[in-house]
Amino acid sequence: MVKYNDILSRAYKAMENAYAPYSNFFVGACVKTKDGNYFIGANVENASYGLTNCAERNAIFQAYSNGYRQDDIEAIAIVGKGNTLITPCGACRQVLVELLKRDTPIVLGTKDEVVVTNIEELMPMSFTSDSL
Ligand code: THU
């Protein structure tokens, strides 16, 4: 999808920086802000496996660390190495439901396919600050 080529190509580039010696599973992500900035992320693993940070979390944390918030984010792309779409893990969905708007495009790509979804679709009936 031409519309998302910018974030998909940057996500692929970010994937090259993945530190994944344990799983050998490389993931890249890219957040685009409405003012035209890009923040990339790759998965970074740890010998204490549970401390691994996923690519999409690293990308969105970068955006927030640079002062951007929900309303400022245009879209996020997530890609992997193979031909399988990488859909965010449960932990990432919980992070994304808080840090993205419900309808912000989440662009999942392989070399052959692009699927555009959003966090409302990926995580209905979620636990958020509204629940507190
Ligand atoms: N991973 C991501 O970076 N994003 C996802 O959405 C799924 C999983 C990473 C975590 C770990 O480094 C590797 O992929 C295998 O689970």
Side-chain angles (χ1 to χ4, degrees):
M1 214 176 286
V2 174
K3 190 178 172 193
Y4 294 114
N5 271 352
D6 56 344
I7 48 175
L8 286 166
S9 60
R10 284 171 173 81
Y12 276 112
K13 193 97 189 92
M15 186 181 74
E16 293 171 16
N17 298 327
Y19 174 71
Y22 307 106
S23 71
N24 211 28
F25 193 81
F26 290 68
V27 185
C30 178
V31 168
K32 183 180 186 181
T33 59
K34 290 177 183 167
D35 66 1
N37 277 307
Y38 296 96
F39 295 97
I40 58 163
N43 53 325
V44 179
E45 298 188 344
N46 193 277
S48 177
Y49 299 160
L51 299 182
T52 292
N53 239 29
C54 292
E56 55 272 55
R57 258 183 291 155
N58 282 334
I60 198 157
F61 289 161
Q62 283 288 331
Y64 267 69
S65 297
N66 281 276
Y68 292 93
R69 295 292 179 263
Q70 269 195 354
D71 286 347
D72 308 317
I73 295 173
E74 190 170 308
I76 180 170
I78 307 164
V79 304
K81 220 175 195 174
N83 266 341
T84 316
L85 287 172
I86 311 297
T87 66
C89 75
C92 286
R93 291 179 196 211
Q94 182 64 33
V95 169
L96 294 176
V97 82
E98 178 140 351
L99 302 186
L100 287 180
K101 291 178 72 178
R102 303 270 159 165
D103 60 351
T104 302
I106 299 176
V107 183
L108 310 175
T110 68
K111 292 285 180 213
D112 306 321
E113 188 186 8
V114 174
V115 171
V116 182
T117 181
N118 58 53
I119 199 61
E120 182 59 33
E121 202 167 72
L122 292 178
M123 201 175 185
M125 293 182 72
S126 53
F127 181 80
T128 66
S129 58
D130 296 341
S131 322
L132 295 173

CSV table of all heavy atoms in Angstrom, one decimal, residues 23 25 27 43 45 52-56 78 86-89, ligand 1:
chain,number,residue,atom,x,y,z
A,23,SER,N,15.8,-15.8,20.3
A,23,SER,CA,14.7,-16.3,19.4
A,23,SER,C,15.0,-16.3,17.9
A,23,SER,O,14.4,-17.0,17.1
A,23,SER,CB,13.4,-15.4,19.6
A,23,SER,OG,13.7,-14.1,19.0
A,25,PHE,N,14.3,-14.1,16.0
A,25,PHE,CA,13.0,-13.6,15.4
A,25,PHE,C,13.1,-12.1,15.4
A,25,PHE,O,13.1,-11.4,16.4
A,25,PHE,CB,11.8,-14.1,16.3
A,25,PHE,CG,10.5,-13.9,15.6
A,25,PHE,CD1,10.0,-14.8,14.7
A,25,PHE,CD2,9.7,-12.8,15.9
A,25,PHE,CE1,8.8,-14.7,14.1
A,25,PHE,CE2,8.4,-12.6,15.3
A,25,PHE,CZ,8.0,-13.6,14.4
A,27,VAL,N,12.1,-8.3,14.5
A,27,VAL,CA,10.9,-7.5,14.3
A,27,VAL,C,11.3,-6.0,14.2
A,27,VAL,O,12.2,-5.6,14.9
A,27,VAL,CB,9.9,-7.7,15.4
A,27,VAL,CG1,8.6,-6.9,15.2
A,27,VAL,CG2,9.6,-9.2,15.6
A,43,ASN,N,13.1,-5.2,18.2
A,43,ASN,CA,13.0,-6.0,19.5
A,43,ASN,C,14.5,-6.1,20.0
A,43,ASN,O,15.4,-6.3,19.3
A,43,ASN,CB,12.4,-7.3,19.3
A,43,ASN,CG,12.9,-8.2,18.2
A,43,ASN,OD1,13.3,-7.6,17.1
A,43,ASN,ND2,12.9,-9.5,18.3
A,45,GLU,N,16.3,-8.3,23.0
A,45,GLU,CA,16.1,-9.4,23.9
A,45,GLU,C,17.1,-9.4,25.1
A,45,GLU,O,18.1,-8.6,25.1
A,45,GLU,CB,16.2,-10.7,23.1
A,45,GLU,CG,15.1,-10.8,22.1
A,45,GLU,CD,15.1,-12.2,21.4
A,45,GLU,OE1,16.0,-12.9,21.5
A,45,GLU,OE2,14.0,-12.4,20.8
A,52,THR,N,12.8,-8.9,27.7
A,52,THR,CA,12.8,-8.5,26.3
A,52,THR,C,11.8,-7.4,26.0
A,52,THR,O,10.7,-7.4,26.6
A,52,THR,CB,12.4,-9.7,25.4
A,52,THR,OG1,13.5,-10.7,25.5
A,52,THR,CG2,12.2,-9.4,24.0
A,53,ASN,N,12.2,-6.4,25.2
A,53,ASN,CA,11.3,-5.4,24.7
A,53,ASN,C,10.9,-5.6,23.3
A,53,ASN,O,11.8,-5.7,22.4
A,53,ASN,CB,11.9,-4.0,25.0
A,53,ASN,CG,11.0,-3.2,25.9
A,53,ASN,OD1,10.3,-3.7,26.8
A,53,ASN,ND2,11.0,-1.9,25.8
A,54,CYS,N,9.7,-5.5,22.9
A,54,CYS,CA,9.2,-5.7,21.6
A,54,CYS,C,9.5,-4.5,20.7
A,54,CYS,O,9.6,-3.3,21.3
A,54,CYS,CB,7.8,-6.1,21.5
A,54,CYS,SG,7.4,-7.7,22.2
A,55,ALA,N,9.5,-4.7,19.4
A,55,ALA,CA,9.8,-3.6,18.5
A,55,ALA,C,8.8,-2.4,18.6
A,55,ALA,O,9.2,-1.2,18.6
A,55,ALA,CB,9.9,-4.1,17.1
A,56,GLU,N,7.5,-2.8,18.6
A,56,GLU,CA,6.5,-1.7,18.6
A,56,GLU,C,6.5,-0.9,19.9
A,56,GLU,O,6.2,0.3,19.9
A,56,GLU,CB,5.1,-2.3,18.3
A,56,GLU,CG,4.6,-3.4,19.1
A,56,GLU,CD,5.0,-4.8,18.6
A,56,GLU,OE1,6.3,-5.0,18.5
A,56,GLU,OE2,4.2,-5.7,18.5
A,78,ILE,N,4.4,-2.4,11.8
A,78,ILE,CA,5.1,-3.5,12.4
A,78,ILE,C,5.4,-4.5,11.3
A,78,ILE,O,4.5,-4.9,10.6
A,78,ILE,CB,4.3,-4.1,13.5
A,78,ILE,CG1,3.8,-3.0,14.5
A,78,ILE,CG2,5.1,-5.2,14.3
A,78,ILE,CD1,2.7,-3.5,15.5
A,86,ILE,N,3.1,-10.0,11.6
A,86,ILE,CA,3.4,-9.9,13.1
A,86,ILE,C,2.3,-9.1,13.7
A,86,ILE,O,2.3,-7.8,13.6
A,86,ILE,CB,4.8,-9.2,13.3
A,86,ILE,CG1,5.9,-9.8,12.5
A,86,ILE,CG2,5.1,-9.3,14.8
A,86,ILE,CD1,6.2,-11.2,12.7
A,87,THR,N,1.5,-9.7,14.5
A,87,THR,CA,0.5,-9.0,15.2
A,87,THR,C,1.0,-8.8,16.6
A,87,THR,O,1.6,-9.7,17.2
A,87,THR,CB,-0.9,-9.7,15.2
A,87,THR,OG1,-0.8,-10.9,15.9
A,87,THR,CG2,-1.4,-10.0,13.8
A,88,PRO,N,0.8,-7.6,17.2
A,88,PRO,CA,1.4,-7.3,18.5
A,88,PRO,C,1.0,-8.4,19.6
A,88,PRO,O,-0.2,-8.8,19.6
A,88,PRO,CB,0.8,-6.0,18.9
A,88,PRO,CG,0.3,-5.4,17.6
A,88,PRO,CD,0.0,-6.5,16.7
A,89,CYS,N,1.9,-8.7,20.5
A,89,CYS,CA,1.7,-9.6,21.6
A,89,CYS,C,0.8,-8.9,22.6
A,89,CYS,O,0.5,-7.7,22.5
A,89,CYS,CB,3.0,-10.0,22.2
A,89,CYS,SG,3.7,-8.7,23.3
B,1,THU,N1,8.3,-9.6,19.2
B,1,THU,C1,8.1,-8.3,18.8
B,1,THU,O1,9.1,-7.5,18.8
B,1,THU,N2,6.9,-7.8,18.5
B,1,THU,C2,5.8,-8.6,18.4
B,1,THU,O2,4.7,-8.1,18.1
B,1,THU,C3,5.9,-10.0,18.6
B,1,THU,C4,7.1,-10.5,19.3
B,1,THU,C5,9.6,-10.1,19.5
B,1,THU,C6,9.8,-10.4,21.0
B,1,THU,C7,10.9,-11.4,20.9
B,1,THU,O3,12.2,-10.7,20.8
B,1,THU,C8,10.7,-12.1,19.6
B,1,THU,O4,9.8,-11.3,18.8
B,1,THU,C9,10.1,-13.5,19.7
B,1,THU,O5,8.9,-13.5,20.5
